[in-house]
Amino acid sequence: RKNIVMAGLPIRHGFSVQAEKLGDRNSLEGKAYQKSIKEELGLNTEKPVVLVMGGGEGVGSLSDIVNQLYTKLTTIGVDATICVVCGRNEKLKADLETRDWDAIAEKLSTDKKRRRLFRFFGRKVDKKHMQSIENTYQLATETADENGKKGKGDVDVVGLGFITNMPEYMVAADVLVTKAGPGTIAEAASVGLPVMLTSYLPGQEAGNVDVVLESGYGDYCEEPIDIAKTVSVWLQDSELLTSLSMAAQRSGRPDAADEIVRDIGSQTVAWLKLNEA
């Protein structure tokens, strides 16, 4: 074991750069830097940002998640920007830009909750936890209704193509919605970004879900409606969002790649010197 060195997952150097500039995203300096990045990206600086990534998700599933996020945030009166990374899927990007969001919100707000009857793979649902989310969301809905804000959340949906500045978008974001890919999770943690996981590849990615849940910087939901309600509850609870962010920051290793290279280099030099002797 003395020859084994524990290191974080190596990720792109851009995350190390952004992590250093951002610092603690919950501090005044961190918030100011996040605001400057939002301005740089052309995003509304007064709205929280939900970054949605498809990864291996089918287009239909990703689309359903975005629809539910828009509807649930609008319903409880939360202003937000939803950035959807479409990659090279130009059809999805164009569809998001022309979608009738008001019609979708009206339809989904009256639809009964539907669950898939079965899954070949999936995790057991924590019914108590989901009931707590449901209760909190319903309370938020009632409060919005009393305050005249129900259905009046100002939500923007921005379709993004293939982007090369993912570190900046993760700094700008307040919540990341994604599948449980190890690289994406490590990147989010490096900049203290809370994560909502939506799916995983059986076997190789199952443990990634456990890492996020046990480290306390995110949650796992499979149903689009549950994903949307949970994220909506997070955005209404600044203390909870801060707690999730701090947990992510504690787990993050933004300099893992540099540390690995330095360690390999130092070991190599040491062995060369021994051989010369």
Side-chain angles (χ1 to χ4, degrees):
R1 291 187 179 182
K2 65 180 180 180
N3 293 324
I4 298 176
V5 177
M6 294 295 291
L9 185 70
I11 55 178
R12 284 171 285 182
H13 181 64
F15 284 95
S16 176
V17 173
Q18 289 301 320
E20 183 176 358
K21 291 181 178 180
L22 176 65
D24 178 3
R25 69 162 57 225
N26 302 297
S27 67
L28 291 176
E29 295 80 3
K31 291 178 180 178
Y33 183 70
Q34 183 191 43
K35 183 175 182 179
S36 71
I37 292 296
K38 286 183 179 180
E39 290 177 345
E40 183 180 307
L41 296 174
L43 302 174
N44 191 312
T45 60
E46 302 305 317
K47 295 181 180 181
V49 173
V50 180
L51 182 62
V52 183
M53 297 173 60
E57 295 277 6
V59 173
S61 178
L62 179 61
S63 183
D64 289 344
I65 290 171
V66 176
N67 286 347
Q68 288 287 359
L69 281 169
Y70 180 89
T71 301
K72 299 302 178 265
L73 289 167
T74 302
T75 298
I76 62 174
V78 173
D79 298 341
T81 300
I82 303 173
C83 290
V84 187
V85 181
C86 304
R88 293 185 173 86
N89 191 332
E90 293 297 331
K91 182 178 179 181
L92 175 60
K93 183 174 181 293
D95 180 48
L96 292 174
E97 292 171 351
T98 58
R99 191 169 293 182
D100 187 342
W101 294 106
D102 290 336
I104 286 173
E106 183 177 358
K107 180 179 184 299
L108 291 181
S109 62
T110 56
D111 273 358
K112 291 184 178 180
K113 185 174 180 179
R114 296 170 182 161
R115 288 188 176 277
R116 279 165 277 193
L117 297 179
F118 66 90
R119 282 179 173 269
F120 289 108
F121 302 104
R123 294 174 69 91
K124 185 177 180 180
V125 176
D126 185 337
K127 293 183 179 179
K128 288 186 177 179
H129 174 62
M130 289 314 304
Q131 188 58 55
S132 175
I133 293 293
E134 179 70 27
N135 294 341
T136 304
Y137 181 81
Q138 290 304 320
L139 180 60
T141 302
E142 294 169 7
T143 301
D145 194 18
E146 293 172 359
N147 297 332
K149 294 183 178 180
K150 184 177 179 181
K152 296 182 179 179
D154 185 10
V155 180
D156 303 317
V157 179
V158 180
L160 303 173
F162 182 80
I163 60 175
T164 57
N165 53 346
M166 185 60 73
E168 286 79 4
Y169 272 100
M170 284 201 184
V171 167
D174 296 275
V175 175
L176 173 66
V177 179
T178 182
K179 69 184 290 290
T184 303
I185 291 173
E187 290 168 351
S190 73
V191 291
L193 179 60
V195 178
M196 166 55 71
L197 301 177
T198 62
S199 66
Y200 63 91
L201 292 177
Q204 69 187 75
E205 290 183 348
N208 301 336
V209 179
D210 296 327
V211 168
V212 171
L213 297 181
E214 292 170 7
S215 300
Y217 62 95
D219 205 344
Y220 177 85
C221 296
E222 296 179 343
E223 297 294 336
I225 191 170
D226 294 334
I227 294 166
K229 286 183 177 180
T230 303
V231 170
S232 298
V233 167
W234 287 0
L235 292 183
Q236 277 216 320
D237 190 338
S238 59
E239 290 186 8
L240 174 58
L241 204 58
T242 297
S243 176
L244 291 167
S245 174
M246 291 177 67
Q249 191 170 321
R250 287 193 295 269
S251 298
R253 297 289 293 273
D255 300 316
D258 291 343
E259 292 171 4
I260 291 170
V261 171
R262 281 197 297 268
D263 188 65
I264 291 173
S266 62
Q267 292 290 337
T268 302
V269 170
W271 275 104
L272 287 172
K273 288 182 177 180
L274 282 174
N275 290 331
E276 288 174 357

